[in-house]
Amino acid sequence: MVGWVRGFNGNISRMARTMGIPVVGSISNKSLQMHLIRGFATDAGLPPHQEIGMPSLSPTMTEGNIARWLKKEGDKISPGEVLCEVETDKATVEMECMEEGYLAKIVLGDGAKEIKVGQVIAITVEEEDDIAKFKDYEPPKGDAADGGKKSSASPPPMKEVAEKPASSPQPNVSKAVESSKAGDRIFSSPLAKKLAEDHNVPLQSIKGTGPDGHIVKADIEDYLASYGKEATTPFSKAATLDYTDLPHTQIRKVTASRLLLSKQTIPHYYLTVDTCVDKLMELRSQLNTLQEASGGKRISVNDLVIKAAALALRKVPQCNSSWTNDYIRQYHNVNINVAVQTDNGLYVPVVRDADKKGLSKIAEEIKHLAQKAKDNSLKPEDYEGGTFTVSNLGGPFGVKQFCAIINPPQSGILAVGSAEKRVIPGVGPDQFKFASFMPVTLSCDHRVIDGAIGAEWLKAFKGYIENPESMLL
């Protein structure tokens, strides 16, 4: 019995994760709460301890970063205390301790990146005297990504490598170059090949002086010394290009993955209409006069667009839906995601029940969420649960018209262009007037929204924009 317990010891956390038992990562409204699995003494003599794994903060999260540890090794910890800050694809979230004890070992320190969900990041113990026993602790390999799976084939390659020098009298340097010439194939060392590519040197015109006729670095250098001017072409200037490699942020990696999936799997089609915004601008001016008098937030054109989109979704609920393999899910809540561009990437915080909120409330929420996005402090509840998205590149950037990519699992996104004045013909031959028009393009998932349904939604949206008083009823 003791032997069985020892075999089970130390692997309980990894076995739990493999079996689907939650060991880390649930969300509260304020911060991250942890679920831990208790470890026991192992054959290595480690005392009882707990493994803290990288938590899963959202259904799409597969990895995260450690922003910083607020506790250090040896510190006493109590329930509710913040251990560290975890950087996800959307925000930075605090991770709280659930049990009393001591932080014995920080496995992955400040700035650790691309940590798989479930990978061990720290060890806690109950007794202070046990802290020193984890000084040199290292988690078993394969603990996170493969759930503790280990390859039984790993020892043989090590043995094979050890036996090769005894069976082969050739020097190790021969491994750095390819085999001798065979037929029309030209063999060269990797360094010589790279040097030839950089200077556009044809290898077939060079006689190798290395072992078995291999072309080596010295052969390329001799060729360049004799025929350098002829060998160098304008293509060789490409090697002098100046550039900077910018590492992917979590938000950019997740955005890239989701939008690529969207474009590859969702049958997009696009509908564009022009909306006259003269009455909308006039109403906005009147409302902002009242807002300034009462100390409220100014109302933007985008706030009015979001309200109109929400009311149109309530009128045409087929567009407020998502596709699944078994059914179309039609939502009863109208939650509008609003695209916000920041230095870190694109965020889409959500305005919940936008159809039921007043313009003043919508304006206040959007400004608050946009600031949180720029500060990289959005919580999961700030961006999850949207049913439709609005992306406005017209007002902030002057883009005339564009087609946006659908934000899955939603089935529609509205792209808003910039308003411009146009000449409108009158009744008589010499009569005309000016009016401002704002183009909008609706991207639709054809599996959910048929063309006529998308056109019906745009008609409803245009009606609210061109008769904005109806939004206040």
Side-chain angles (χ1 to χ4, degrees):
M1 181 66 177
V2 173
W4 180 85
V5 172
R6 286 184 177 177
F8 187 75
N9 288 342
N11 293 319
I12 187 169
S13 298
R14 294 183 293 281
M15 290 178 66
R17 282 192 291 272
T18 303
M19 296 168 62
I21 300 174
V23 295
V24 292
S26 62
I27 304 296
S28 71
N29 289 332
K30 294 183 179 180
S31 59
L32 170 67
Q33 304 291 330
M34 296 182 298
H35 291 191
L36 305 176
I37 291 295
R38 188 176 302 281
F40 299 92
T42 66
D43 293 335
L46 294 177
H49 60 279
Q50 291 175 328
E51 296 178 340
I52 300 177
M54 171 58 68
S56 176
L57 304 178
S58 70
T60 61
M61 178 178 170
T62 59
E63 58 184 32
N65 304 331
I66 300 293
R68 60 171 179 151
W69 284 93
L70 301 181
K71 292 288 185 178
K72 60 181 183 294
E73 292 180 356
D75 282 356
K76 182 176 177 59
I77 53 178
S78 302
E81 287 188 316
V82 178
L83 289 177
C84 67
E85 293 179 348
V86 176
E87 184 183 70
T88 73
D89 54 333
K90 303 285 187 181
T92 300
V93 182
E94 294 177 343
M95 185 165 69
E96 290 183 356
C97 177
M98 292 295 291
E99 295 186 15
E100 188 171 346
Y102 296 87
L103 183 59
K105 179 70 175 180
I106 295 177
V107 179
L108 297 172
D110 293 356
K113 296 184 179 297
E114 299 181 358
I115 307 168
K116 300 295 182 183
V117 168
Q119 184 173 347
V120 176
I121 61 175
I123 300 293
T124 64
V125 295
E126 296 180 358
E127 304 296 334
E128 187 175 7
D129 294 340
D130 294 335
I131 296 174
K133 299 177 183 179
F134 289 87
K135 180 180 179 181
D136 300 321
Y137 174 85
E138 291 185 5
K141 293 181 179 179
D143 184 55
D146 56 13
K149 295 178 183 177
K150 295 182 181 179
S151 173
S152 59
S154 56
M158 295 175 62
K159 183 177 180 182
E160 182 182 348
V161 172
E163 293 174 351
K164 279 185 178 178
S167 61
S168 176
Q170 296 182 0
N172 291 337
V173 70
S174 64
K175 296 178 183 178
V177 295
E178 301 177 14
S179 303
S180 59
K181 295 187 178 181
D184 295 332
R185 186 176 177 186
I186 301 173
F187 296 92
S188 65
S189 69
L191 186 58
K193 185 178 294 185
K194 178 67 167 61
L195 189 62
E197 290 176 355
D198 290 345
H199 294 276
N200 200 34
V201 174
L203 290 177
Q204 61 269 23
S205 63
I206 297 177
K207 182 179 180 179
T209 60
D212 299 322
H214 282 59
I215 298 173
V216 295
K217 177 184 176 183
D219 298 329
I220 306 296
E221 291 175 340
D222 290 343
Y223 182 90
L224 291 173
S226 302
Y227 307 100
K229 292 182 179 180
E230 292 80 0
T232 304
T233 68
F235 294 99
S236 65
K237 295 181 181 179
T240 64
L241 288 176
D242 190 17
Y243 60 87
T244 301
D245 290 330
L246 303 176
H248 298 307
T249 62
Q250 287 296 103
I251 177 64
R252 287 202 179 278
K253 287 197 290 187
V254 171
T255 301
S257 172
R258 288 174 61 81
L259 294 186
L260 179 62
L261 177 68
S262 176
K263 264 300 202 181
Q264 289 178 333
T265 61
I266 296 178
H268 288 60
Y269 74 92
Y270 311 96
L271 301 172
T272 302
V273 296
D274 288 330
T275 60
C276 182
V277 294
D278 288 339
K279 291 182 179 179
L280 187 80
M281 300 301 290
E282 183 179 349
L283 176 63
R284 173 176 175 260
S285 178
Q286 295 173 2
L287 292 176
N288 280 334
T289 300
L290 297 175
Q291 286 290 95
E292 291 172 358
S294 61
K297 299 287 186 182
R298 287 181 60 83
I299 295 171
S300 68
V301 172
N302 203 45
D303 300 331
L304 291 159
V305 167
I306 290 167
K307 179 67 175 180
L311 292 174
L313 287 169
R314 192 168 68 184
K315 182 176 287 189
V316 187
Q318 295 96 321
C319 295
N320 196 44
S321 306
S322 293
W323 170 268
T324 73
N325 291 332
D326 300 319
Y327 49 82
I328 293 176
R329 174 170 291 170
Q330 191 171 114
Y331 300 104
H332 301 302
N333 301 91
V334 180
N335 300 336
I336 305 291
N337 286 107
V338 184
V340 176
Q341 181 65 44
T342 72
D343 293 338
N344 296 320
L346 182 66
Y347 292 84
V348 280
V350 62
V351 179
R352 301 184 186 279
D353 296 317
D355 58 320
K356 301 175 183 177
K357 292 177 179 176
L359 290 167
S360 178
K361 181 65 175 177
I362 292 175
E364 183 179 342
E365 283 193 23
I366 290 177
K367 287 179 175 60
H368 176 66
L369 290 170
Q371 188 58 50
K372 289 183 71 175
K374 292 175 182 177
D375 296 339
N376 196 31
S377 61
L378 288 172
K379 304 297 183 184
E381 58 267 25
D382 293 329
Y383 53 78
E384 292 180 347
T387 62
F388 189 87
T389 299
V390 171
S391 178
N392 188 345
L393 294 179
F397 304 104
V399 174
K400 183 177 181 180
Q401 188 265 335
F402 68 104
C403 299
I405 300 175
I406 294 171
N407 181 23
Q410 299 170 13
S411 58
I413 181 172
L414 185 69
V416 183
S418 61
E420 63 177 4
K421 281 193 173 184
R422 301 178 189 172
V423 177
I424 307 300
V427 179
D430 297 326
Q431 294 180 347
F432 62 89
K433 63 178 182 178
F434 292 97
S436 295
F437 286 87
M438 179 181 70
V440 295
T441 299
L442 177 66
S443 303
C444 301
D445 181 347
H446 215 320
R447 299 172 300 178
V448 180
I449 305 173
D450 296 330
I453 300 298
E456 184 181 350
W457 185 90
L458 274 179
K459 181 180 178 181
F461 173 81
K462 182 175 180 177
Y464 286 120
I465 292 295
E466 297 187 343
N467 299 282
E469 299 88 353
S470 60
M471 290 191 284
L472 307 178
L473 298 177

